[in-house]
Structures are given as C-alpha cells and as structure tokens.
Amino acid sequence: MPFTPAVREQRFVLDHVARIDELAATERFEAATPDLVDAVLEGAGAFAAGEWAPLNRAGDTDGPTWTEDGVRMPAGYAQAYHDYVEGGWGTIGAPADFGGQGLPFVLASAVLETLGTANMSFALAPTLTVGAIEALLHHGTPEQQAAYLPHLATGAWTGTMNLTESQAGSDVGALRARAEPVGDGTYRISGTKIFISFGDHDMADNIVHLVLARTPDAPAGTRGISLFLVPKYRLDADGKPGDFNDVRVVSIEHKMGLHASPTCVLSFGDHGDCIGELIGPEMGGMRAMFTMMNNARLNVGLQGVQVAEAATQKAVDYARDRIQGPRAGSADRAPVAIIEHPDVRRMLMRMKAQTQAARALVYCASGMVDRAATDEAAKDRLEILTPLAKAHATDLGNEVASLGVQVHGGMGFIEETGAAQFYRDARITPIYEGTNGIQAADLVGRKLGLSNGAAFATLIADMRAGVEDEALQALVDACADVGRRLSTADADDRLAASYPFLTMLSVAVCGWLMERQGRAAADGDDDFLRMKRAVAAFYVEQIVPEALGLHAAATAPAASLYELPADLFAA
C-alpha cells in the first residue's frame, strides 16, 4: 500500500487547533503565509512518499549492522538522508540566525509527522537532533552555538542524548559517567551509555553527543550532574570534523521494533582521549536535560500520531479490498468487503478518531511552544499539555496499531502484511523519554500546582467555555473534581490516581479539540469535511463517555494497591 501524506488533515488541524494564522500575524512568524504553509506540507509529503516510505520495509527486515568502524545503515538510507538535508527539511523550525528558516515549531512538527508516518524508525534521527539544538540554544555558549548549530540545523550533523546507564534508567541521579578537567576548560569524558538512538551511523559527517556526567567531588544524586558536548569527531581549526574523539560503539541492541534505528551502547574514553565541553554551568545538567527532554517528549507524542496514522491507512486499505462474507441481514447474501461489517466499521472509526485526537493534542501543545517565549499563560499551558501529549498520544498509538492488526485478522499476525511492524514499532513510545507513568506522576506532582493551581484552573475554564456536548461537559467537571481532590491528597494516593487522571484529562482535552473541529467542518460538504464531522461526533459520543468511567479509579485511595505484600505477587 502506498503511503498517503495526510496534508489536508494536517492543514485543518494547524488552522483550527494550533491556529497558525495567529502565529503568522506576529513579526516572528510572518513568513508563515498560507501559501508557504501549503507548500511545506505538500513538499514534505511528496518527499516522504517518494524517498522515505519505500525504505520502511527494508529497514525493518534488514536493519543497521555493527562493524569495527561503526554502524552501517541499510541500503538507501544514507542517500535518502542526504536528500533530506539537501532539501532543507531539517531547517523548517530551526532558528534563522543559524541557517534555519525560523518557521513555527508546530509546522516543523507537521513535517516530522509526515516523515515519521512514512518511516518511523528513520525519523528518529532528526527527532533527536531537534533536542540537541534546543539544549544548545538555551544553554550553550555563543562559541558552541556558532560551531555546531548551523550544521545541526540543516541535519548535516545529527545529535544524540546520552542519559541512560545500565544501573541508571529512570533514576538519572545514579549515573556514573565521569568528566575530569583537562585544565584548558575542556574535560576528559569516560563511561558507558546505553539505549542511545542513532548513537552511530554512516549518514552524516559528525554526530554531536550530549552527555550527562559527574565532575570530581560532585555531590551524589541529580544535583551533581553536568551536561557535556562530546562530538564523534573533534573540530579542527576550520570548524570541520577532524580527529576521532574516542567514542566507540560497543554494540547495537536487538529490539522488538524500530529496527532501522540503531540503538547503541556507547563507550566514552576507552583510551583516555574523549574530550568534552561543558554546556551550561557545572552541575547544571538537570536543567539542561529537561530542556532536551521536554522537547523530546512532545516529539515522542508525535510518534504516537505517526504510527497511528500509518496503521490506520493500512487497515482502511485492507478493509476496503478484503472480501469476506455477506453483510448481516442482506437479502442477496453476496460477500462484501469487510469494511461493510459493523465490527470492522467500529474498529476503523475508533482508529480514525483516536488518531485525529492524538494529532489535535500534540499540535495544540506544539502551538504553545511557539507562543511560550512571549506569553506566560501559553508557557503554563504547555507545561500541563506536555505530559498529556507524550503519554496519551503514545497510548493511542499503541491502541490504534493493535486495532490495525485486528482489522487484518489472521493476516495481521503475519509479518509480510506490514501491520505487525506498526504494533512492534509503537510499543517503545510509552517507555522512552520518561515512561508514561512518570508523565502521570509529573502531572499530579508538579503540574496541578503550577502557578498556585491557576494553570490547571484556566485549562478547565477554557474547556468549560468551549464544549457543548453534555457528556463532555460532565467529563470536564469530573476532571476538575479529581484535580481538587489530588491537590490535597497524600503522595501515595496522588500517585495511585495519577494514570487514570491523566487519561481522563487527556480525553477531555481531546474531546474539546475534536468538538471544535466538528464545528469548523459543519458548513462544508466535500468528502473530507463530511469525514471530519463523522469522526468528531464518534469521538464525543463513544470515547468521551468511556473516560467518565475512570472517575472511580482516579479517586480511589492507594491502600488497595498495597493489600497484597510484594512476595505474594508470585503466589
């Protein structure tokens, strides 16, 4: 099945959810004219369909290979990445001061969505680079920015995030990587990092590793962590990649999915010659890390949209072609395409509704990124929406990918159909860049109290003012009630309720945005607008009421979770 870029849908959500016209009315984003936005979306779609989508299957079956000289990507990937750089697709949201186009982040997110829908594994390379750009923009020195950002902005060099160690997963404070001062302002880096996406490859001239490590005598825990810039190749006097910087690939992981993305174990300083530069102040690593992580969390939420869109397209295509049995109650008993059967219709409608809800949620958050620099209210809204976008959109990506397998029936369990790849690829997204449980804990532990509770209260007020459906109004009220309860609950009760509450609030926000889109499509009668009205109505009528059922779980005390002693879980 050929990949079809979701250009009309993306433009509709940019207009009615992200409200890109408001952004274009500002001096900062005045270049984002309607014609330019259309050209970017259509051009990215054509590029992704022509060059990245055809590599998706081979990347899954062949994958990268480890050699003593580094990682080699599957055939075709290096050329396709070169064409991505030459086409300027990495520059969309990068700052103009460093060779980027300076267009809205939400438009760059739409481009990244298209690339990831065509080839989710491949799109991890630019996804990680965006995080490195953000860290250097906010915390790098002018010299570091001048040396590295122009190359990262184009994608000619790629970036990575090096946080995790074998003994330090979610507990970042347990990391052991070391940074010893050389005496000239640089540091010798040593240690091993695991789970490094695109930690090595043969598509770019340099790889810029951002590495968390401890300086001598640094205190234990997260307070003692610093962030370092560690290129694969040190820069020469002309600012070009020169000497190898003693960063080696120990191995690449054998994974459930995302096979075309080399997930590396990296060893720094095996020969004592790995040199890094401090980014930001010493022991300021956590602050810099969260700059990377918050950006990455939105982009992982976007991966949920990517895989959901791909799985939905494949399932719809299969269901329209697969002939199987007569429709119940039909007079002639002639076999029909399975899309005519009610249960298949239920699954496909749910897939489309959840995909569009996830897109609306992530685009809404991404639009707040563009506003947050000059608007404190938008900054608060972004803080609340980030854990929702990361967690709920990836949960939906998994649900939709699973439904895609189900629509295919037994053929969905056979690798050759391709439905299984989406299911395998999706499964990592609720885990990395902070598990979805961590996102829920962040929501109830930090975000409910943001600005003394005003950020949450304003979100509730905006939804109450904007929704019309009774069940959706009831869900917003239920979220307000749970939020009040959790704001004064003890830590165990708050955390026990965090995940059902995150889901309730996410569905409420999605319902608000889906209802808005349904109203925006009310006056048109082309096929796309008819689809939008039907899908929005399905979401509000069938998915919103499900979230109301989570109220009991979101208000239950933690005591029931501890009724069973740990040793009895094996009984």
Side-chain angles (χ1 to χ4, degrees), residues 416-448:
E416 283 76 8
T417 65
Q421 181 187 343
F422 300 131
Y423 190 43
R424 291 185 284 101
D425 287 351
R427 192 59 190 87
I428 186 59
T429 60
I431 297 172
Y432 60 11
E433 302 303 344
T435 67
N436 286 0
I438 288 174
Q439 306 308 309
D442 177 50
L443 174 65
V444 301
R446 295 180 59 247
K447 304 304 171 61
L448 279 181

PDB file of all heavy atoms in Angstrom, residues 416-448:
ATOM      1  N   GLU A 416       4.487 -10.333   6.684  1.00  0.00           N
ATOM      2  CA  GLU A 416       4.524  -9.800   5.329  1.00  0.00           C
ATOM      3  C   GLU A 416       3.474  -8.731   5.069  1.00  0.00           C
ATOM      4  O   GLU A 416       3.621  -7.917   4.160  1.00  0.00           O
ATOM      5  CB  GLU A 416       4.374 -10.942   4.306  1.00  0.00           C
ATOM      6  CG  GLU A 416       5.632 -11.768   4.097  1.00  0.00           C
ATOM      7  CD  GLU A 416       5.897 -12.739   5.241  1.00  0.00           C
ATOM      8  OE1 GLU A 416       5.035 -12.892   6.131  1.00  0.00           O
ATOM      9  OE2 GLU A 416       6.989 -13.345   5.250  1.00  0.00           O
ATOM     10  N   THR A 417       2.374  -8.717   5.813  1.00  0.00           N
ATOM     11  CA  THR A 417       1.348  -7.698   5.563  1.00  0.00           C
ATOM     12  C   THR A 417       1.786  -6.322   6.045  1.00  0.00           C
ATOM     13  O   THR A 417       1.261  -5.305   5.590  1.00  0.00           O
ATOM     14  CB  THR A 417       0.022  -8.056   6.270  1.00  0.00           C
ATOM     15  OG1 THR A 417       0.209  -8.030   7.689  1.00  0.00           O
ATOM     16  CG2 THR A 417      -0.491  -9.414   5.834  1.00  0.00           C
ATOM     17  N   GLY A 418       2.711  -6.259   6.992  1.00  0.00           N
ATOM     18  CA  GLY A 418       3.200  -4.979   7.486  1.00  0.00           C
ATOM     19  C   GLY A 418       2.460  -4.429   8.686  1.00  0.00           C
ATOM     20  O   GLY A 418       2.929  -3.487   9.330  1.00  0.00           O
ATOM     21  N   ALA A 419       1.284  -4.967   9.016  1.00  0.00           N
ATOM     22  CA  ALA A 419       0.530  -4.449  10.162  1.00  0.00           C
ATOM     23  C   ALA A 419       1.270  -4.692  11.473  1.00  0.00           C
ATOM     24  O   ALA A 419       1.203  -3.873  12.403  1.00  0.00           O
ATOM     25  CB  ALA A 419      -0.852  -5.088  10.211  1.00  0.00           C
ATOM     26  N   ALA A 420       1.970  -5.809  11.560  1.00  0.00           N
ATOM     27  CA  ALA A 420       2.682  -6.144  12.793  1.00  0.00           C
ATOM     28  C   ALA A 420       3.821  -5.176  13.072  1.00  0.00           C
ATOM     29  O   ALA A 420       4.147  -4.910  14.237  1.00  0.00           O
ATOM     30  CB  ALA A 420       3.205  -7.574  12.722  1.00  0.00           C
ATOM     31  N   GLN A 421       4.436  -4.650  12.026  1.00  0.00           N
ATOM     32  CA  GLN A 421       5.548  -3.721  12.248  1.00  0.00           C
ATOM     33  C   GLN A 421       5.089  -2.497  13.029  1.00  0.00           C
ATOM     34  O   GLN A 421       5.786  -2.027  13.932  1.00  0.00           O
ATOM     35  CB  GLN A 421       6.170  -3.282  10.916  1.00  0.00           C
ATOM     36  CG  GLN A 421       7.357  -2.326  11.139  1.00  0.00           C
ATOM     37  CD  GLN A 421       7.909  -1.731   9.868  1.00  0.00           C
ATOM     38  OE1 GLN A 421       7.648  -2.239   8.771  1.00  0.00           O
ATOM     39  NE2 GLN A 421       8.662  -0.657   9.994  1.00  0.00           N
ATOM     40  N   PHE A 422       3.924  -1.959  12.694  1.00  0.00           N
ATOM     41  CA  PHE A 422       3.429  -0.787  13.413  1.00  0.00           C
ATOM     42  C   PHE A 422       3.217  -1.112  14.888  1.00  0.00           C
ATOM     43  O   PHE A 422       3.517  -0.298  15.770  1.00  0.00           O
ATOM     44  CB  PHE A 422       2.127  -0.289  12.789  1.00  0.00           C
ATOM     45  CG  PHE A 422       2.262   0.102  11.348  1.00  0.00           C
ATOM     46  CD1 PHE A 422       1.363  -0.358  10.397  1.00  0.00           C
ATOM     47  CD2 PHE A 422       3.298   0.911  10.918  1.00  0.00           C
ATOM     48  CE1 PHE A 422       1.477  -0.004   9.070  1.00  0.00           C
ATOM     49  CE2 PHE A 422       3.430   1.265   9.585  1.00  0.00           C
ATOM     50  CZ  PHE A 422       2.517   0.808   8.658  1.00  0.00           C
ATOM     51  N   TYR A 423       2.694  -2.309  15.151  1.00  0.00           N
ATOM     52  CA  TYR A 423       2.460  -2.732  16.536  1.00  0.00           C
ATOM     53  C   TYR A 423       3.784  -2.838  17.283  1.00  0.00           C
ATOM     54  O   TYR A 423       3.907  -2.379  18.428  1.00  0.00           O
ATOM     55  CB  TYR A 423       1.737  -4.081  16.495  1.00  0.00           C
ATOM     56  CG  TYR A 423       1.189  -4.574  17.810  1.00  0.00           C
ATOM     57  CD1 TYR A 423       0.522  -3.730  18.687  1.00  0.00           C
ATOM     58  CD2 TYR A 423       1.302  -5.925  18.163  1.00  0.00           C
ATOM     59  CE1 TYR A 423      -0.009  -4.202  19.878  1.00  0.00           C
ATOM     60  CE2 TYR A 423       0.780  -6.402  19.346  1.00  0.00           C
ATOM     61  CZ  TYR A 423       0.126  -5.535  20.201  1.00  0.00           C
ATOM     62  OH  TYR A 423      -0.393  -6.001  21.386  1.00  0.00           O
ATOM     63  N   ARG A 424       4.801  -3.421  16.622  1.00  0.00           N
ATOM     64  CA  ARG A 424       6.113  -3.546  17.269  1.00  0.00           C
ATOM     65  C   ARG A 424       6.783  -2.185  17.448  1.00  0.00           C
ATOM     66  O   ARG A 424       7.371  -1.898  18.489  1.00  0.00           O
ATOM     67  CB  ARG A 424       7.013  -4.479  16.439  1.00  0.00           C
ATOM     68  CG  ARG A 424       6.571  -5.932  16.454  1.00  0.00           C
ATOM     69  CD  ARG A 424       7.558  -6.832  15.725  1.00  0.00           C
ATOM     70  NE  ARG A 424       7.479  -6.749  14.273  1.00  0.00           N
ATOM     71  CZ  ARG A 424       8.293  -6.059  13.488  1.00  0.00           C
ATOM     72  NH1 ARG A 424       9.284  -5.352  14.014  1.00  0.00           N
ATOM     73  NH2 ARG A 424       8.150  -6.062  12.174  1.00  0.00           N
ATOM     74  N   ASP A 425       6.697  -1.354  16.418  1.00  0.00           N
ATOM     75  CA  ASP A 425       7.341  -0.042  16.495  1.00  0.00           C
ATOM     76  C   ASP A 425       6.715   0.838  17.578  1.00  0.00           C
ATOM     77  O   ASP A 425       7.409   1.611  18.239  1.00  0.00           O
ATOM     78  CB  ASP A 425       7.234   0.682  15.144  1.00  0.00           C
ATOM     79  CG  ASP A 425       8.152   0.113  14.080  1.00  0.00           C
ATOM     80  OD1 ASP A 425       9.013  -0.735  14.405  1.00  0.00           O
ATOM     81  OD2 ASP A 425       8.015   0.515  12.902  1.00  0.00           O
ATOM     82  N   ALA A 426       5.416   0.728  17.741  1.00  0.00           N
ATOM     83  CA  ALA A 426       4.709   1.611  18.676  1.00  0.00           C
ATOM     84  C   ALA A 426       5.064   1.330  20.123  1.00  0.00           C
ATOM     85  O   ALA A 426       5.012   2.241  20.966  1.00  0.00           O
ATOM     86  CB  ALA A 426       3.199   1.459  18.487  1.00  0.00           C
ATOM     87  N   ARG A 427       5.446   0.100  20.443  1.00  0.00           N
ATOM     88  CA  ARG A 427       5.474  -0.303  21.846  1.00  0.00           C
ATOM     89  C   ARG A 427       6.514   0.424  22.687  1.00  0.00           C
ATOM     90  O   ARG A 427       6.347   0.585  23.912  1.00  0.00           O
ATOM     91  CB  ARG A 427       5.691  -1.829  21.955  1.00  0.00           C
ATOM     92  CG  ARG A 427       5.445  -2.360  23.350  1.00  0.00           C
ATOM     93  CD  ARG A 427       4.028  -2.059  23.814  1.00  0.00           C
ATOM     94  NE  ARG A 427       3.799  -2.330  25.220  1.00  0.00           N
ATOM     95  CZ  ARG A 427       4.018  -1.472  26.215  1.00  0.00           C
ATOM     96  NH1 ARG A 427       4.519  -0.262  25.962  1.00  0.00           N
ATOM     97  NH2 ARG A 427       3.759  -1.805  27.457  1.00  0.00           N
ATOM     98  N   ILE A 428       7.574   0.920  22.075  1.00  0.00           N
ATOM     99  CA  ILE A 428       8.595   1.630  22.842  1.00  0.00           C
ATOM    100  C   ILE A 428       8.114   3.010  23.280  1.00  0.00           C
ATOM    101  O   ILE A 428       8.602   3.571  24.271  1.00  0.00           O
ATOM    102  CB  ILE A 428       9.897   1.752  22.011  1.00  0.00           C
ATOM    103  CG1 ILE A 428      11.031   2.369  22.848  1.00  0.00           C
ATOM    104  CG2 ILE A 428       9.684   2.577  20.765  1.00  0.00           C
ATOM    105  CD1 ILE A 428      11.398   1.631  24.092  1.00  0.00           C
ATOM    106  N   THR A 429       7.174   3.595  22.542  1.00  0.00           N
ATOM    107  CA  THR A 429       6.863   5.012  22.766  1.00  0.00           C
ATOM    108  C   THR A 429       6.312   5.329  24.160  1.00  0.00           C
ATOM    109  O   THR A 429       6.589   6.416  24.676  1.00  0.00           O
ATOM    110  CB  THR A 429       5.913   5.546  21.675  1.00  0.00           C
ATOM    111  OG1 THR A 429       4.689   4.800  21.685  1.00  0.00           O
ATOM    112  CG2 THR A 429       6.572   5.459  20.298  1.00  0.00           C
ATOM    113  N   PRO A 430       5.562   4.442  24.814  1.00  0.00           N
ATOM    114  CA  PRO A 430       5.171   4.764  26.196  1.00  0.00           C
ATOM    115  C   PRO A 430       6.300   4.584  27.212  1.00  0.00           C
ATOM    116  O   PRO A 430       6.137   4.897  28.384  1.00  0.00           O
ATOM    117  CB  PRO A 430       4.039   3.769  26.488  1.00  0.00           C
ATOM    118  CG  PRO A 430       3.610   3.228  25.185  1.00  0.00           C
ATOM    119  CD  PRO A 430       4.847   3.235  24.342  1.00  0.00           C
ATOM    120  N   ILE A 431       7.450   4.074  26.736  1.00  0.00           N
ATOM    121  CA  ILE A 431       8.553   3.744  27.649  1.00  0.00           C
ATOM    122  C   ILE A 431       9.633   4.805  27.641  1.00  0.00           C
ATOM    123  O   ILE A 431      10.053   5.287  28.698  1.00  0.00           O
ATOM    124  CB  ILE A 431       9.154   2.372  27.277  1.00  0.00           C
ATOM    125  CG1 ILE A 431       8.112   1.263  27.440  1.00  0.00           C
ATOM    126  CG2 ILE A 431      10.386   2.073  28.137  1.00  0.00           C
ATOM    127  CD1 ILE A 431       8.557  -0.096  26.901  1.00  0.00           C
ATOM    128  N   TYR A 432      10.125   5.188  26.438  1.00  0.00           N
ATOM    129  CA  TYR A 432      11.296   6.062  26.456  1.00  0.00           C
ATOM    130  C   TYR A 432      10.921   7.534  26.592  1.00  0.00           C
ATOM    131  O   TYR A 432       9.764   7.919  26.505  1.00  0.00           O
ATOM    132  CB  TYR A 432      12.239   5.804  25.303  1.00  0.00           C
ATOM    133  CG  TYR A 432      11.802   5.958  23.867  1.00  0.00           C
ATOM    134  CD1 TYR A 432      10.611   6.553  23.478  1.00  0.00           C
ATOM    135  CD2 TYR A 432      12.652   5.497  22.862  1.00  0.00           C
ATOM    136  CE1 TYR A 432      10.275   6.678  22.146  1.00  0.00           C
ATOM    137  CE2 TYR A 432      12.328   5.627  21.520  1.00  0.00           C
ATOM    138  CZ  TYR A 432      11.137   6.223  21.176  1.00  0.00           C
ATOM    139  OH  TYR A 432      10.812   6.349  19.853  1.00  0.00           O
ATOM    140  N   GLU A 433      11.960   8.351  26.857  1.00  0.00           N
ATOM    141  CA  GLU A 433      11.821   9.775  27.180  1.00  0.00           C
ATOM    142  C   GLU A 433      10.916  10.009  28.394  1.00  0.00           C
ATOM    143  O   GLU A 433      10.156  10.964  28.442  1.00  0.00           O
ATOM    144  CB  GLU A 433      11.295  10.565  25.961  1.00  0.00           C
ATOM    145  CG  GLU A 433      12.155  10.456  24.728  1.00  0.00           C
ATOM    146  CD  GLU A 433      13.593  10.892  24.944  1.00  0.00           C
ATOM    147  OE1 GLU A 433      13.865  11.560  25.946  1.00  0.00           O
ATOM    148  OE2 GLU A 433      14.439  10.545  24.101  1.00  0.00           O
ATOM    149  N   GLY A 434      11.037   9.141  29.360  1.00  0.00           N
ATOM    150  CA  GLY A 434      10.211   9.217  30.562  1.00  0.00           C
ATOM    151  C   GLY A 434       8.968   8.376  30.377  1.00  0.00           C
ATOM    152  O   GLY A 434       8.108   8.692  29.549  1.00  0.00           O
ATOM    153  N   THR A 435       8.866   7.259  31.102  1.00  0.00           N
ATOM    154  CA  THR A 435       7.715   6.364  30.939  1.00  0.00           C
ATOM    155  C   THR A 435       6.417   7.134  31.128  1.00  0.00           C
ATOM    156  O   THR A 435       6.372   8.200  31.753  1.00  0.00           O
ATOM    157  CB  THR A 435       7.756   5.223  31.960  1.00  0.00           C
ATOM    158  OG1 THR A 435       7.561   5.777  33.275  1.00  0.00           O
ATOM    159  CG2 THR A 435       9.067   4.460  31.908  1.00  0.00           C
ATOM    160  N   ASN A 436       5.339   6.569  30.614  1.00  0.00           N
ATOM    161  CA  ASN A 436       4.061   7.258  30.766  1.00  0.00           C
ATOM    162  C   ASN A 436       3.622   7.337  32.221  1.00  0.00           C
ATOM    163  O   ASN A 436       2.890   8.257  32.603  1.00  0.00           O
ATOM    164  CB  ASN A 436       3.003   6.574  29.903  1.00  0.00           C
ATOM    165  CG  ASN A 436       3.203   6.887  28.432  1.00  0.00           C
ATOM    166  OD1 ASN A 436       4.136   7.613  28.060  1.00  0.00           O
ATOM    167  ND2 ASN A 436       2.341   6.359  27.580  1.00  0.00           N
ATOM    168  N   GLY A 437       4.072   6.402  33.051  1.00  0.00           N
ATOM    169  CA  GLY A 437       3.822   6.522  34.480  1.00  0.00           C
ATOM    170  C   GLY A 437       4.523   7.731  35.073  1.00  0.00           C
ATOM    171  O   GLY A 437       3.993   8.410  35.967  1.00  0.00           O
ATOM    172  N   ILE A 438       5.734   8.023  34.581  1.00  0.00           N
ATOM    173  CA  ILE A 438       6.448   9.217  35.029  1.00  0.00           C
ATOM    174  C   ILE A 438       5.721  10.473  34.566  1.00  0.00           C
ATOM    175  O   ILE A 438       5.650  11.473  35.294  1.00  0.00           O
ATOM    176  CB  ILE A 438       7.903   9.186  34.520  1.00  0.00           C
ATOM    177  CG1 ILE A 438       8.697   8.124  35.300  1.00  0.00           C
ATOM    178  CG2 ILE A 438       8.574  10.551  34.648  1.00  0.00           C
ATOM    179  CD1 ILE A 438      10.103   7.909  34.795  1.00  0.00           C
ATOM    180  N   GLN A 439       5.153  10.431  33.371  1.00  0.00           N
ATOM    181  CA  GLN A 439       4.373  11.588  32.902  1.00  0.00           C
ATOM    182  C   GLN A 439       3.171  11.834  33.806  1.00  0.00           C
ATOM    183  O   GLN A 439       2.847  12.987  34.132  1.00  0.00           O
ATOM    184  CB  GLN A 439       3.899  11.365  31.461  1.00  0.00           C
ATOM    185  CG  GLN A 439       4.983  11.036  30.459  1.00  0.00           C
ATOM    186  CD  GLN A 439       6.125  12.022  30.484  1.00  0.00           C
ATOM    187  OE1 GLN A 439       5.917  13.230  30.411  1.00  0.00           O
ATOM    188  NE2 GLN A 439       7.340  11.512  30.591  1.00  0.00           N
ATOM    189  N   ALA A 440       2.512  10.758  34.199  1.00  0.00           N
ATOM    190  CA  ALA A 440       1.353  10.904  35.090  1.00  0.00           C
ATOM    191  C   ALA A 440       1.774  11.451  36.450  1.00  0.00           C
ATOM    192  O   ALA A 440       1.093  12.304  37.035  1.00  0.00           O
ATOM    193  CB  ALA A 440       0.643   9.559  35.243  1.00  0.00           C
ATOM    194  N   ALA A 441       2.919  10.963  36.951  1.00  0.00           N
ATOM    195  CA  ALA A 441       3.427  11.472  38.229  1.00  0.00           C
ATOM    196  C   ALA A 441       3.778  12.950  38.119  1.00  0.00           C
ATOM    197  O   ALA A 441       3.548  13.742  39.059  1.00  0.00           O
ATOM    198  CB  ALA A 441       4.653  10.660  38.666  1.00  0.00           C
ATOM    199  N   ASP A 442       4.344  13.346  36.986  1.00  0.00           N
ATOM    200  CA  ASP A 442       4.665  14.761  36.757  1.00  0.00           C
ATOM    201  C   ASP A 442       3.396  15.606  36.754  1.00  0.00           C
ATOM    202  O   ASP A 442       3.361  16.714  37.321  1.00  0.00           O
ATOM    203  CB  ASP A 442       5.400  14.890  35.425  1.00  0.00           C
ATOM    204  CG  ASP A 442       5.723  16.325  35.064  1.00  0.00           C
ATOM    205  OD1 ASP A 442       6.273  17.041  35.921  1.00  0.00           O
ATOM    206  OD2 ASP A 442       5.439  16.730  33.928  1.00  0.00           O
ATOM    207  N   LEU A 443       2.347  15.086  36.137  1.00  0.00           N
ATOM    208  CA  LEU A 443       1.085  15.827  36.081  1.00  0.00           C
ATOM    209  C   LEU A 443       0.539  16.120  37.475  1.00  0.00           C
ATOM    210  O   LEU A 443       0.208  17.263  37.800  1.00  0.00           O
ATOM    211  CB  LEU A 443       0.055  15.043  35.264  1.00  0.00           C
ATOM    212  CG  LEU A 443      -1.364  15.629  35.235  1.00  0.00           C
ATOM    213  CD1 LEU A 443      -1.375  16.984  34.536  1.00  0.00           C
ATOM    214  CD2 LEU A 443      -2.326  14.652  34.553  1.00  0.00           C
ATOM    215  N   VAL A 444       0.466  15.080  38.314  1.00  0.00           N
ATOM    216  CA  VAL A 444      -0.143  15.292  39.644  1.00  0.00           C
ATOM    217  C   VAL A 444       0.843  15.860  40.650  1.00  0.00           C
ATOM    218  O   VAL A 444       0.441  16.511  41.624  1.00  0.00           O
ATOM    219  CB  VAL A 444      -0.757  13.986  40.194  1.00  0.00           C
ATOM    220  CG1 VAL A 444      -1.822  13.464  39.237  1.00  0.00           C
ATOM    221  CG2 VAL A 444       0.300  12.925  40.460  1.00  0.00           C
ATOM    222  N   GLY A 445       2.143  15.628  40.421  1.00  0.00           N
ATOM    223  CA  GLY A 445       3.133  16.079  41.382  1.00  0.00           C
ATOM    224  C   GLY A 445       3.580  17.511  41.181  1.00  0.00           C
ATOM    225  O   GLY A 445       3.887  18.214  42.144  1.00  0.00           O
ATOM    226  N   ARG A 446       3.605  17.966  39.911  1.00  0.00           N
ATOM    227  CA  ARG A 446       4.114  19.309  39.619  1.00  0.00           C
ATOM    228  C   ARG A 446       3.107  20.186  38.893  1.00  0.00           C
ATOM    229  O   ARG A 446       2.945  21.356  39.223  1.00  0.00           O
ATOM    230  CB  ARG A 446       5.390  19.224  38.768  1.00  0.00           C
ATOM    231  CG  ARG A 446       6.573  18.580  39.472  1.00  0.00           C
ATOM    232  CD  ARG A 446       7.799  18.544  38.568  1.00  0.00           C
ATOM    233  NE  ARG A 446       8.203  19.872  38.138  1.00  0.00           N
ATOM    234  CZ  ARG A 446       8.136  20.312  36.863  1.00  0.00           C
ATOM    235  NH1 ARG A 446       7.705  19.514  35.900  1.00  0.00           N
ATOM    236  NH2 ARG A 446       8.516  21.536  36.554  1.00  0.00           N
ATOM    237  N   LYS A 447       2.425  19.631  37.911  1.00  0.00           N
ATOM    238  CA  LYS A 447       1.635  20.466  37.014  1.00  0.00           C
ATOM    239  C   LYS A 447       0.303  20.923  37.618  1.00  0.00           C
ATOM    240  O   LYS A 447      -0.179  22.018  37.297  1.00  0.00           O
ATOM    241  CB  LYS A 447       1.409  19.731  35.690  1.00  0.00           C
ATOM    242  CG  LYS A 447       2.716  19.294  35.015  1.00  0.00           C
ATOM    243  CD  LYS A 447       3.663  20.452  34.786  1.00  0.00           C
ATOM    244  CE  LYS A 447       5.058  20.039  34.318  1.00  0.00           C
ATOM    245  NZ  LYS A 447       5.107  19.333  33.061  1.00  0.00           N
ATOM    246  N   LEU A 448      -0.306  20.112  38.481  1.00  0.00           N
ATOM    247  CA  LEU A 448      -1.548  20.557  39.115  1.00  0.00           C
ATOM    248  C   LEU A 448      -1.332  21.813  39.951  1.00  0.00           C
ATOM    249  O   LEU A 448      -2.217  22.673  40.037  1.00  0.00           O
ATOM    250  CB  LEU A 448      -2.132  19.450  40.002  1.00  0.00           C
ATOM    251  CG  LEU A 448      -2.939  18.358  39.325  1.00  0.00           C
ATOM    252  CD1 LEU A 448      -3.466  17.368  40.359  1.00  0.00           C
ATOM    253  CD2 LEU A 448      -4.094  18.946  38.529  1.00  0.00           C
TER     254      LEU A 448
END
